[in-house]
Amino acid sequence: MFHVKQKFYDVIILGGGHAGVEAAAAASKIGAKTALITFSRKDLGAMSCNPAMGGLGKGHLIREIDALGGIIGQASDMSGIQFRMLNRTKGEAVQGPRAQIDRNKYKKAVSGLLKTLTIFEDEIEEIHLEKNIRKVRSVKLKEFGNLNCQSLIVTTGTFLNGLIHCGQKSWSAGRLGAKATTKLAKFFIKEKFVTRRLKTGTPPRLLGSSIDFKKCIEQKGDSHPVPFSFLTEELRLKQKACFITKTNETTHKIIRSNIYKSPMYNGKIKSKGPRYCPSIEDKVQRFKDRISHQIFLEPETEAGDIIYPNGISTAMPSNVQKKFIRSINGLEEAQILKDGYAIEYDTIDSKELKNTYETKKIEGLYLAGQINGSTGYEEAAGQGLLAGINAANKVLGKKSFVLGRSDAYLGVLTSDLMKGGLVEPYRMFTSRAEYRLTLRADNADYRLTDKAINLGLACKDRSRKWIKKKKALAAGTKLLRQNYATPNKIKAAGLDINQDGKKRSAYEVLGYNNSNWQLIISIWPQLKKVNISEKEKEQIRITAFYEKYVERQMGEIEELKKESGLKFKSNFNAKDCAGLSNEVKEILLKNSPKTLGEASLLPGMTPSAASLLLKHTKK
Amino acid sequence: MLNKDKSIFALSTPWGISGISVIRISGKGCCNVVKTMCSIKSPKPRYIYNCNLKDKQSNIIDNIMAVYFNSPKSFTGEDMLELYTHGSIAVIKRVLLELSYIPNLEPAQPGEFLKRAYFNNKISLIQAEGINHLIKSETEKQRIVSSNMSFNGTISLCEKIKEDITYIGALVDATIEFSEEDENTQKSNIEKLIYKIIKELGSQLNGIETTRKIFNGLNIIVFGPPNVGKSSLFNLITNSDNSIVTSKAGTTRDLIQVALEVEGYKVNFTDTAGIRRAKDDIELIGIKRTTKKIESEEKLMLVLSPDSYNKRNVNSLKDLFNKISKKEIIVIFNKEDLLNFKKAQKKWFNALPFLKKTSFITTCCINKNEKHKILKKISKFVKSEFIENERVNDNNLFFTEYRHEVHLKKCLKFLKSSYNLLEKVELCSEELRLALKEIESIEGNVDSEIKLDIIFNKFCIGK
Ligand SMILES: Cc1cc2nc3c(=O)[nH]c(=O)nc-3n(C[C@H](O)[C@H](O)[C@H](O)COP(=O)(O)OP(=O)(O)OC[C@H]3O[C@@H](n4cnc5c(N)ncnc54)[C@H](O)[C@@H]3O)c2cc1C
Ligand SMILES: Nc1nc2c(ncn2[C@@H]2O[C@H](COP(=O)(O)OP(=O)(O)O)[C@@H](O)[C@H]2O)c(=O)[nH]1
Ligand SMILES: [Mg+2]
């Protein structure tokens, strides 16, 4: 594709990682004139770490991004080589779709989905502001020179002042084989952004043919793989197996006796890594009584030539890595293709952000992805999408788009990040969502696709499919609600229910624990003829099952909204508000919120500060 | 609800003659008072001044002591002033009047000092409730419960329960988030932990019954035939002559109630009209009230005497006992000084066989010198029969309000369903989340305005 490179853009995106590509896709779909600048086209959709998408919380995020018209879901479906629904035996609310991804095919898929996007293979070295106002004016590219823009979305990922560590060695890099972003870092220092250094790590990669898989336990994908995207009809790639092996006491001994060589333990790395994704050094040192740790051997490609050993991220020197790897069952002959390493990088404290991902300090400057202290492709993609929507909407004079904690995991992500002060990389978990039973992966379209249509993010195919599905669900639900039976009759069909003489609707009965459509039809044969697909039927069943809980949560949300609507007295002055930290007082004074809701959305507000304020609305 | 621009004042000690009286002022107006009435230009905080208190015309009202506290280092968190005047009604009246002349200074509403302390985050809602109880406490047991609430006991317990629930929630969620890992949390462990909190909450809920009795008092009804010496005993116990004593049957007609402390407990004794066929309308009403009262209360003290043994009285009592059931009854045989005492006592036993199963003591009310001894005997009797089974030694009492009970019950409900939903982890976790919210409600962070109003209106003025 050839694009005439112009000098003026509505929205420019710095970085072609997972945040960058979603931001670019969203902004251009909404109608902003968009350009994406990244070191190399090969960056598009590059997965720096493990070859997998989704999981618990993360799978929810992918479904939501997809429901809002994002690309991560479709790209994953096009490149997935093993799909598994996690927690399949548990309730749908905590089931998370996950897939092993062929790295190269993922990049191809992303590039394909961004065919029409203007892309510069270049490095942004400087950001320039308007003369007298603190607003973004242009960026300076190393090769191409200046580009003007109204909004700039910065998604540097792990690149900002990135520093790789492997044993005693350390060198400047954005990730293995890519140079770090150093010039840009000066901008954030000059503008006095609060920065924080975080750390993450990755395991060595192994040559597939050098592993004895016979010694490992095979783990197959689902027999009926479920795609991420609501648009995907069919998964095309051959499904591959993963294998499980584990470390042993010899492995641990090797690690322990070399522990002083690990930069995390000899004082070279001081920054915090994610607690939930510890290096093998950490695992061995911190859980001394464990005699082994599980390792998943995951294929990085459909061909299976490269294997990612999930669970042994390390920054040990090369020779120690080789030694401990070869002590593991099945890996005795393993060849290391690339060493594992740790990387330290700069993040910007996310309390610098408004809930639109725009910085408070500089108009038109947005930050998204790992630069905000998060970790993970899905978390980055979600922020990219939201920043892209807001940057474009602002340029086009449209309303900002903010999701709340009760709307989506994307809302939870936003509101958690906006609290600022992250001390370790932020990863999504279902436990972070208080409305977990409402925010399910299965109903992401129900929650968000109408919004996508209004925002102009849903393609024709998506709108058509969703509207059809919505109609089918409504019709099916209505029919179920119109049919009643006595408890006697229901019990006769095999459901043990309270014989209180109260008639139940088919919808109610479908929502009972252990209920299903077959049972419903045995009670109400007339429902056999309902004209909806099996998938839609299952969706109605899940909705019916959680309905009682969702209703209760809705009540709670309503109450919260009511509280959010509480107004501060006209003479309310944050300064007089005892118990608030000076920082929160300052935030309140600067923004002078009218209601408690507005106040609690302000970045930097803590829940305890919000509950103190609640008192003051009541005075 | 609260107006920051207004300062408030109130008398903090009882209205009446006493050594000293304390008048408290809270709000920005304190400086004004110090300047105009105490003639102190810029008061040093937390320093005791001795000064003359002057009225508008600069006449000296009283020579007083005054302490100024600067915001936020005061009880209410605002500027505060405490004036120690002589405890004279006239002085108090004058000072309060003078204060009301000062602009933006107003008499405090009931509970307003506590309310300001709460809104300024000096105390929690529970503490406010506790201090309110503490102020009103009369008995040792009341004081203990109130201290628990005022000085962190209840809050620590809430925090502990919250911590426990959060911990269990984390265990449950771990099985959700990390199901792929080979770490396994034991279900039986979770089960045990939930059960432990359920038990704790159950015991706290029972405890509310006890605290209620501690604050409202145990009700003991003194009843029996006319002229057995009920009123005499009542006066003796309550150390008063509240009840009229005559040799005429049918003297007592109203229910007379007196509260007193027995063994640290508040006990309400009620003297009643003797049970018999009434001679006039007023006595009839009195007897009806007695019967009703007996029916509604649990703890009864039956008084009998030798000279009251006759068919009519026996039948009246039999009628009464047929109507009431399941009461705790103790018996006092009075007038043991009378000659035929032992014989009559036997007759009573034979006439009313259930008496054999009740505990009894014998007394004599007429010897004024023995008064102290009898009082002790009765106290001991009441204690062993009525109080000792009321968790007397339970210092594990932390909740008093209806509000607490509601949230504890809800919390218990959610915990129980979480227990039953262990197989459905995500639902189990949801129930735990809601249980946690209930405890947070007790701590008073998320209460609605109406609830707050009710809570604060119950508080007394000037404290
Ligand atoms: C070693 C390592 C280990 C990791 N481990 C984990 C893990 O265990 N679990 C997990 O969830 N996640 C892990 N990740 C994180 C995951 O890769 C990131 O969270 C995710 O890729 C972040 O997406 P992003 O869009 O924010 O940034 P990235 O994907 O890092 O993309 C940044 C992009 O910006 C471009 N860029 C940077 N500076 C400039 C500039 N000045 N001009 C132009 N372009 C620029 C880069 O070329 C790159 O394309 C790891 C990452 C690394 C490197
Ligand atoms: N001999 C004797 N007389 C008593 C005793 N106690 C009370 N009395 C008298 O019994 C009469 C009735 O007493 P009262 O207290 O009014 O009885 P009530 O009608 O049961 O309330 C009064 O004259 C009392 O002085 C006692 O122990 N011995
Ligand atoms: Mg009497």
Side-chain angles (χ1 to χ4, degrees):
Chain A
M1 261 274 174
F2 178 74
H3 290 284
V4 184
K5 301 274 159 89
Q6 290 173 320
K7 289 271 189 184
F8 297 89
Y9 292 91
D10 290 335
V11 179
I12 284 181
I13 287 114
L14 182 161
H18 304 279
V21 295
E22 291 293 351
S28 60
K29 259 188 218 167
I30 287 178
K33 195 171 153 200
T34 306
L36 187 147
I37 292 95
T38 191
F39 288 124
S40 151
R41 252 173 204 284
K42 284 187 214 133
D43 293 340
L44 297 187
M47 303 172 86
S48 327
C49 193
N50 65 329
M53 281 289 180
L56 295 165
K58 287 169 172 271
H60 291 75
L61 282 172
I62 295 183
R63 282 281 169 84
E64 290 179 354
I65 296 166
D66 180 68
L68 280 170
I71 61 171
I72 191 171
Q74 282 173 286
S76 301
D77 287 342
M78 286 186 245
S79 53
I81 49 176
Q82 188 205 66
F83 286 80
R84 246 157 45 84
M85 187 62 85
L86 302 190
N87 277 343
R88 193 175 265 293
T89 58
K90 301 194 172 92
E92 283 81 3
V94 290
Q95 291 183 10
R98 183 184 188 275
Q100 297 301 145
I101 304 286
D102 180 312
R103 234 181 239 298
N104 304 324
K105 293 209 161 66
Y106 188 82
K107 280 193 195 172
K108 231 183 246 161
V110 169
S111 292
L113 290 165
L114 296 179
K115 260 194 300 247
T116 54
L117 188 70
T118 306
I119 296 168
F120 291 79
E121 292 186 89
D122 210 328
E123 175 181 358
I124 294 185
E125 293 188 325
E126 286 164 28
I127 300 172
H128 299 286
L129 306 186
E130 299 282 357
K131 273 244 170 65
N132 296 316
I133 37 172
R134 300 180 61 70
K135 183 177 181 311
V136 169
R137 189 189 66 207
S138 61
V139 290
K140 181 180 159 274
L141 276 53
K142 191 174 180 186
E143 307 293 333
F144 198 84
N146 280 348
L147 289 181
N148 280 35
C149 63
Q150 308 237 35
S151 287
L152 170 69
I153 306 176
V154 175
T155 69
T156 50
T158 51
F159 282 63
L160 203 58
N161 273 337
L163 185 65
I164 287 186
H165 298 266
C166 183
Q168 307 294 345
K169 284 182 284 181
S170 55
W171 64 96
S172 164
R175 62 183 164 231
L176 199 63
K179 66 181 203 130
T181 303
T182 45
K183 288 209 171 116
L184 200 64
K186 291 185 192 122
F187 169 81
F188 290 104
I189 294 168
K190 189 177 133 241
E191 297 300 331
K192 298 203 171 64
F193 278 87
V194 177
T195 61
R196 186 168 291 119
R197 216 142 162 77
L198 292 177
K199 172 223 121 183
T200 188
T202 198
R205 307 301 197 272
L206 310 177
L207 181 68
S209 56
S210 69
I211 297 173
D212 187 354
F213 289 110
K214 282 196 297 293
K215 288 187 173 167
C216 310
I217 301 165
E218 188 178 25
Q219 187 187 43
K220 285 212 162 80
D222 289 343
S223 49
H224 299 287
V226 181
F228 288 106
S229 174
F230 291 100
L231 298 185
T232 303
E233 306 276 355
E234 190 192 353
L235 296 168
R236 294 232 162 81
L237 299 188
K238 208 178 117 214
Q239 298 294 293
K240 297 202 56 96
C242 290
F243 290 85
I244 301 174
T245 179
K246 56 188 183 199
T247 61
N248 51 47
E249 293 188 50
T250 315
T251 322
H252 295 190
K253 217 181 275 162
I254 298 169
I255 291 168
R256 262 187 215 124
S257 58
N258 286 288
I259 196 75
Y260 65 95
K261 293 179 186 159
S262 168
M264 272 90 79
Y265 279 85
N266 62 17
K268 267 184 90 182
I269 297 184
K270 290 197 184 69
S271 46
K272 268 267 183 70
R275 257 179 313 173
Y276 26 79
C277 204
S279 63
I280 187 69
E281 292 96 297
D282 272 342
K283 289 186 192 178
V284 169
Q285 286 298 91
R286 285 192 10 228
F287 305 99
K288 290 223 158 73
D289 48 337
R290 290 278 301 257
I291 50 166
S292 86
H293 294 279
Q294 212 169 29
I295 303 168
F296 292 90
L297 300 173
E298 304 175 346
E300 293 214 344
T301 56
E302 197 182 13
D305 47 349
I306 306 170
I307 297 296
Y308 177 96
N310 193 344
I312 47 171
S313 151
T314 180
M316 284 287 190
S318 192
N319 59 337
V320 180
Q321 290 191 26
K322 189 167 165 186
K323 201 167 163 202
F324 85 71
I325 287 278
R326 290 195 166 183
S327 73
I328 295 165
N329 201 22
L331 305 183
E332 292 86 350
E333 311 277 322
Q335 279 186 44
I336 294 180
L337 297 172
K338 279 185 201 163
D339 283 327
Y341 62 91
I343 181 165
E344 285 186 292
Y345 54 95
D346 279 357
T347 63
I348 310 289
D349 193 323
S350 44
K351 75 180 167 209
E352 298 276 2
L353 300 177
K354 301 182 192 170
N355 54 15
T356 54
Y357 291 89
E358 189 176 16
T359 59
K360 285 186 248 173
K361 285 203 176 98
I362 295 168
E363 198 184 339
L365 177 65
Y366 293 74
L367 307 178
Q370 192 138 353
I371 187 172
N372 290 336
S374 68
T375 167
Y377 313 134
E378 305 82 349
E379 288 84 349
Q383 294 171 58
L385 172 77
L386 295 170
I389 295 171
N390 279 305
N393 272 5
K394 180 159 181 171
V395 170
L396 301 176
K398 294 186 194 169
K399 275 209 303 231
S400 56
F401 178 71
V402 177
L403 291 168
R405 298 186 77 87
S406 54
D407 298 321
Y409 276 84
L410 288 169
V412 175
L413 173 69
T414 304
S415 97
D416 281 350
L417 285 179
M418 296 310 141
K419 278 170 203 148
L422 294 174
V423 291
E424 66 174 332
Y426 179 97
R427 176 213 197 270
M428 187 48 75
F429 288 105
T430 69
S431 309
R432 294 198 196 270
E434 45 278 67
Y435 305 113
R436 176 160 64 187
L437 302 183
T438 310
L439 310 181
R440 303 190 306 271
D442 66 75
N443 69 2
D445 54 350
Y446 179 83
R447 292 182 280 119
L448 298 169
T449 298
D450 282 329
K451 290 184 170 50
I453 295 172
N454 288 336
L455 287 164
L457 287 171
C459 60
K460 266 201 203 107
D461 190 28
R462 189 179 297 278
S463 311
R464 191 179 44 79
K465 277 194 171 129
W466 166 237
I467 288 165
K468 187 169 158 264
K469 179 173 169 187
K470 194 161 77 167
K471 274 193 191 138
L473 296 180
T477 307
K478 191 172 163 202
L479 208 60
L480 287 165
R481 286 214 153 107
Q482 285 165 344
N483 284 280
Y484 281 84
T486 60
N488 227 333
K489 206 169 157 197
I490 296 166
K491 191 172 184 183
L495 258 187
D496 190 19
I497 67 161
N498 203 354
Q499 296 297 308
D500 52 9
K502 251 177 38 204
K503 286 192 172 179
R504 315 289 209 274
S505 76
Y507 187 72
E508 234 180 310
V509 176
L510 185 60
Y512 288 154
N513 205 2
N514 302 326
S515 180
N516 56 48
W517 273 89
Q518 230 176 335
L519 202 127
I520 294 296
I521 286 164
S522 75
I523 305 172
W524 294 276
Q526 67 271 29
L527 290 178
K528 210 174 188 166
K529 59 178 196 296
V530 281
N531 187 22
I532 56 176
S533 71
E534 286 306 311
K535 248 165 118 181
E536 288 156 355
K537 279 186 182 170
E538 176 62 0
Q539 186 60 54
I540 294 178
R541 188 196 63 74
I542 298 170
T543 310
F545 177 75
Y546 281 109
E547 181 145 289
K548 27 201 186 297
Y549 298 95
V550 169
E551 263 170 20
R552 199 162 71 174
Q553 293 198 332
M554 286 301 157
E556 228 181 297
I557 294 166
E558 275 309 303
E559 208 170 290
L560 264 182
K561 284 202 175 133
K562 239 190 259 160
E563 246 167 33
S564 301
L566 288 175
K567 288 199 173 78
F568 292 111
K569 279 270 166 66
S570 56
N571 64 355
F572 170 75
N573 189 341
K575 261 198 218 136
D576 303 337
C577 201
L580 288 181
S581 69
N582 286 334
E583 194 181 4
V584 170
K585 279 185 189 170
E586 208 172 285
I587 291 168
L588 289 169
L589 287 173
K590 221 191 247 160
N591 298 284
S592 47
K594 287 189 190 59
T595 64
L596 188 63
E598 285 174 27
S600 57
L601 282 177
L602 291 174
M605 282 295 291
T606 58
S608 72
S611 71
L612 286 183
L613 284 176
L614 175 58
K615 287 185 187 173
H616 285 274
T617 58
K618 290 173 176 171
K619 276 201 195 179
Chain B
M1 256 169 74
L2 276 193
N3 188 340
K4 266 252 154 90
D5 299 334
K6 294 264 180 267
S7 299
I8 51 169
F9 65 90
L11 177 65
S12 292
T13 42
W15 182 271
I17 301 167
S18 57
I20 54 165
S21 286
V22 182
I23 293 166
R24 260 182 173 178
I25 302 140
S26 178
K28 297 211 170 89
C30 288
C31 289
N32 217 345
V33 176
V34 176
K35 243 183 260 163
T36 58
M37 291 180 71
C38 305
S39 322
I40 302 167
K41 269 196 207 99
S42 46
K44 204 162 114 190
R46 297 163 169 257
Y47 178 83
I48 299 185
Y49 287 95
N50 176 219
C51 59
N52 286 327
L53 197 64
K54 291 177 188 157
D55 67 11
K56 256 200 305 206
Q57 284 77 39
S58 291
N59 301 314
I60 297 173
I61 306 170
D62 192 5
N63 182 264
I64 64 156
M65 305 247 265
V67 183
Y68 167 76
F69 301 87
N70 59 331
S71 166
K73 287 165 78 179
S74 74
F75 174 68
T76 59
E78 304 171 338
D79 284 347
M80 277 191 88
L81 184 63
E82 290 184 5
L83 307 175
Y84 307 88
T85 69
H86 289 100
S88 135
I89 293 178
V91 169
I92 295 169
K93 267 199 212 160
R94 187 74 223 168
V95 176
L96 293 181
L97 189 67
E98 287 296 326
L99 286 171
S100 71
Y101 293 149
I102 296 177
N104 285 332
L105 211 56
E106 284 181 358
Q109 297 296 311
E112 206 172 348
F113 285 92
L114 270 180
K115 191 147 102 182
R116 289 189 179 215
Y118 168 70
F119 277 119
N120 292 320
N121 295 309
K122 297 302 281 190
I123 53 171
S124 69
L125 192 53
I126 289 245
Q127 279 177 313
E129 288 165 339
I131 293 171
N132 180 47
H133 281 302
L134 188 65
I135 288 165
K136 290 185 188 160
S137 287
E138 288 173 346
T139 67
E140 180 62 7
K141 290 282 159 190
Q142 291 176 347
R143 186 193 63 75
I144 290 171
V145 177
S146 308
S147 314
N148 276 348
M149 288 176 68
S150 320
F151 311 120
N152 271 340
T154 308
I155 291 280
S156 323
L157 179 64
C158 287
E159 288 297 319
K160 175 81 181 50
I161 295 174
K162 259 168 61 179
E163 215 172 86
D164 289 351
I165 299 177
T166 309
Y167 175 70
I168 299 168
L171 289 184
V172 172
D173 274 21
T175 69
I176 294 172
E177 307 286 2
F178 303 107
S179 61
E180 297 293 307
E181 327 249 324
D182 52 351
E183 292 280 358
N184 54 344
T185 8
Q186 283 149 356
K187 216 188 75 206
S188 64
N189 196 18
I190 297 177
E191 209 168 326
K192 250 188 245 152
L193 288 170
I194 299 181
Y195 186 70
K196 216 179 103 198
I197 310 182
I198 289 179
K199 254 177 61 188
E200 167 76 37
L201 288 187
S203 130
Q204 285 304 333
L205 271 168
N206 286 336
I208 288 187
E209 273 306 305
T210 309
T211 52
R212 244 179 227 147
K213 281 182 191 155
I214 285 174
F215 282 100
N216 299 336
L218 302 175
N219 294 331
I220 298 181
I221 314 299
V222 182
F223 80 111
N227 244 337
V228 291
K230 297 185 294 300
S231 298
S232 305
L233 277 164
F234 180 81
N235 286 343
L236 201 148
I237 296 168
T238 61
N239 195 19
S240 68
D241 42 14
N242 282 323
S243 213
I244 304 165
V245 176
T246 70
S247 55
K248 232 178 103 191
T251 305
T252 308
R253 295 170 173 210
D254 274 331
L255 298 175
I256 299 171
Q257 187 174 330
V258 169
L260 56 136
E261 184 173 346
V262 180
E263 302 289 329
Y265 264 84
K266 180 177 175 182
V267 178
N268 306 310
F269 282 98
T270 307
D271 188 18
T272 62
I275 307 287
R276 65 162 181 181
R277 280 200 196 102
K279 292 275 159 68
D280 63 47
D281 286 354
I282 302 176
E283 199 193 346
L284 182 70
I285 295 170
I287 293 176
K288 270 196 180 149
R289 279 191 193 163
T290 301
T291 329
K292 223 171 123 195
K293 186 80 185 166
I294 291 172
E295 280 167 16
S296 70
E297 296 293 345
E298 290 301 313
K299 300 187 188 323
L300 307 176
M301 183 189 274
L302 172 61
V303 185
L304 297 170
S305 70
D307 52 342
S308 60
Y309 181 81
N310 60 47
K311 245 211 175 96
R312 256 200 11 240
N313 281 343
V314 168
N315 286 338
S316 304
L317 282 179
K318 272 189 180 162
D319 284 352
L320 180 74
F321 287 123
N322 281 337
K323 268 194 275 175
I324 58 175
S325 57
K326 265 208 180 164
K327 307 279 176 187
E328 298 168 53
I329 299 180
I330 59 175
V331 183
I332 295 186
F333 285 104
N334 191 30
K335 306 195 186 179
E336 71 179 327
D337 53 307
L338 294 188
L339 279 179
N340 57 349
F341 181 77
K342 278 261 146 60
K343 245 171 143 181
Q345 195 183 352
K346 234 177 230 145
K347 282 187 197 161
W348 273 117
F349 275 129
N350 289 334
L352 301 170
F354 81 90
L355 289 183
K356 287 177 190 142
K357 275 179 268 167
T358 61
S359 310
F360 69 90
I361 53 170
T362 58
T363 57
C364 166
C365 293
I366 47 170
N367 192 347
K368 292 272 184 272
N369 298 333
E370 303 249 289
K371 198 173 145 182
H372 206 68
K373 231 172 92 189
I374 299 172
L375 190 60
K376 235 183 169 167
K377 194 171 179 185
I378 296 174
S379 290
K380 231 178 100 190
F381 188 43
V382 166
K383 183 190 166 197
S384 68
E385 296 302 314
F386 283 155
I387 296 180
E388 246 152 31
N389 49 3
E390 296 285 351
R391 299 172 61 172
V392 207
N393 296 318
D394 193 345
N395 284 333
N396 196 20
L397 300 171
F398 295 98
F399 300 101
T400 51
E401 311 302 290
Y402 175 65
R403 178 180 90 73
H404 303 163
E405 187 178 0
V406 170
H407 290 304
L408 285 177
K409 276 192 177 147
K410 279 196 191 164
C411 180
L412 194 60
K413 195 189 92 194
F414 289 131
L415 283 176
K416 281 183 180 160
S417 46
S418 78
Y419 189 83
N420 293 328
L421 283 165
L422 278 171
E423 297 294 328
K424 292 246 158 216
V425 272
E426 84 275 24
L427 302 182
C428 173
S429 169
E430 168 75 357
E431 301 296 317
L432 288 170
R433 182 178 73 83
L434 293 172
L436 196 64
K437 270 185 75 178
E438 294 302 328
I439 303 293
E440 280 169 359
S441 298
I442 294 182
E443 292 186 324
N445 291 333
V446 286
D447 267 285
S448 73
E449 180 166 24
I450 309 148
K451 272 190 245 162
L452 285 176
D453 266 344
I454 296 169
I455 292 161
F456 284 115
N457 286 342
K458 281 188 352 198
F459 295 148
C460 69
I461 189 165
K463 307 282 161 63

